[in-house]
Amino acid sequence: MKRRLCTTFCATLALFVSSNALGQTYRLRADAYASASNVPTGFVFLQGEARKPSVFDSEAAVWVGSGETPGDVVVMSLRARDPLGRGELRIGRMMVSMGAIRPVHLDGADAILRTPWGSNLEVFGGLPVAYGAAPRDYTWTIGGRASQRIGSTAILGLSYLQSRMEGKAAFEELGVDGAVSLGRIFDGALTTSFDLLRIGISDARFSLATRLGSLRIELFAVRRSPSRLLPATSLFSALGDVPSDRAGTSLFWRAAPRLDVRGEGVFESLGRALGGQFFLRANLRLDDRGDGVLGLEMRRQGAPTSAAGSSRSTPTGTST
């Protein structure tokens, strides 16, 4: 832990020295969040960059520990980027999330290349943090995403991810994502990740929305396969796979300058069990800043394993 904190300090100091050598003003920001209830816990966040536009910036998030759980570095990375936005490179410990593939936590590098005609290429690779102190021989995570913007209304992407632990495949995914937007009239999005080890869909999401004045209506559907979202080397992946499906509609209506109405109706399926839920909520802001809100909510919810749901009507109000 001390070695990692020292590394963070040295990296920040190096940036400070280099930025001053170039005559730039370097800015360092630190935030700390702590809880003293029962066992003390907390996070420390560090961010640093030269004056904008900055070529280099750095960030770090440190878990300070809890009881018998030792502290550790969650994120510590240094990023170099082209001021014209044509590319960037990030190295260190980071979270990588792109397109339809699952987010990964790794010690490694992430590079992005952007072209004037709307094509983007991102590649990453490194050692997965999730395996902790486990032997790391023949253990790695690699992947990337290629995308193409179509005019100013749509984008299409193809992504790939592979992770191995001690030479054995933990998971391998191929993802497809797309989005389209036609101003305030229509927008839609689709992401699908396909498990290449245990052939099947890991996670699929679809949404379609339209706006009619102050009313926004959205249709959506989600399908998830729990066992495929776990590594193939996990014990829980052998216990079976019961995919879950959710489909429904949601709405948002600005009924008045201070009155918002939200609603959602969802149909759920877990194996052969069926269920659903519905809620309608109205919020009345008591002032222009929204510091005081009076709310009324109606909700009906049924678990997929139950024959019937329960209903509840709950008025709530807050003011400060």
Side-chain angles (χ1 to χ4, degrees):
M1 177 63 181
K2 292 182 179 179
R3 182 180 299 176
R4 289 168 178 166
L5 289 176
C6 182
T7 303
T8 304
F9 175 77
C10 292
T12 303
L13 182 61
L15 281 177
F16 178 79
V17 173
S18 62
S19 62
N20 278 278
L22 296 175
Q24 295 182 328
T25 301
Y26 190 77
R27 298 183 298 179
L28 177 64
R29 174 176 176 175
D31 297 287
Y33 300 89
S35 173
S37 60
N38 297 327
V39 181
T41 60
F43 267 102
V44 177
F45 298 92
L46 297 173
Q47 290 181 318
E49 66 177 347
R51 68 187 182 196
K52 296 182 179 180
S54 176
V55 177
F56 296 98
D57 62 63
S58 60
E59 64 176 351
V62 180
W63 166 249
V64 298
S66 171
E68 297 179 357
T69 303
D72 200 357
V73 174
V74 180
V75 173
M76 187 186 72
S77 63
L78 172 66
R79 180 174 62 172
R81 53 187 172 185
D82 178 19
L84 299 179
R86 294 170 296 190
E88 62 183 66
L89 173 65
R90 187 170 48 145
I91 59 175
R93 175 166 292 188
M94 67 193 77
M95 289 293 300
V96 180
S97 176
M98 63 183 69
I101 60 177
R102 70 186 72 194
V104 292
H105 192 197
L106 56 83
D107 295 325
D110 177 25
I112 304 175
L113 175 64
R114 303 181 181 94
T115 65
W117 52 86
S119 299
N120 292 342
L121 177 63
E122 180 173 1
V123 293
F124 64 88
L127 301 175
V129 177
Y131 299 138
R136 293 197 171 191
D137 294 340
Y138 305 104
T139 297
W140 68 78
T141 296
I142 59 172
R145 176 176 180 262
S147 65
Q148 175 64 51
R149 182 171 295 278
I150 304 173
S152 60
T153 60
I155 186 170
L156 181 64
L158 180 66
S159 50
Y160 174 77
L161 170 67
Q162 181 187 115
S163 184
R164 305 186 76 87
M165 182 177 180
E166 299 180 14
K168 299 180 181 179
F171 49 80
E172 187 175 7
E173 287 183 353
L174 182 67
V176 177
D177 63 276
V180 60
S181 177
L182 300 177
R184 294 180 54 86
I185 302 175
F186 164 85
D187 60 76
L190 170 68
T191 61
T192 302
S193 59
F194 192 78
D195 187 349
L196 298 178
L197 297 180
R198 293 157 291 182
I199 306 301
I201 295 177
S202 301
D203 192 2
R205 302 168 184 268
F206 167 79
S207 68
L208 187 65
T210 186
R211 296 173 178 83
L212 303 173
S214 59
L215 177 64
R216 182 180 187 274
I217 303 175
E218 179 183 9
L219 301 176
F220 60 88
V222 179
R223 180 177 179 86
R224 308 193 74 184
S225 176
S227 70
R228 291 188 173 89
L229 295 175
L230 295 171
T233 53
S234 170
L235 171 65
F236 297 99
S237 63
L239 299 180
D241 179 27
V242 182
S244 63
D245 300 289
R246 300 179 75 245
T249 182
S250 64
L251 62 88
F252 173 80
W253 179 33
R254 179 63 56 84
R258 292 187 182 179
L259 178 61
D260 298 335
V261 179
R262 301 176 184 270
E264 182 177 279
V266 179
F267 174 80
E268 298 177 309
S269 171
L270 183 61
R272 296 183 178 181
L274 304 178
Q277 62 180 357
F278 162 82
F279 82 85
L280 185 65
R281 180 188 304 122
N283 290 331
L284 177 63
R285 295 185 296 277
L286 303 180
D287 54 68
D288 293 336
R289 295 184 303 175
D291 291 338
V293 177
L294 180 65
L296 177 66
E297 179 178 311
M298 295 182 293
R299 179 181 297 269
R300 179 180 177 85
Q301 184 169 355
T305 56
S306 65
S310 60
S311 62
R312 179 179 63 181
S313 177
T314 306
T316 59
T318 61
S319 62
T320 58

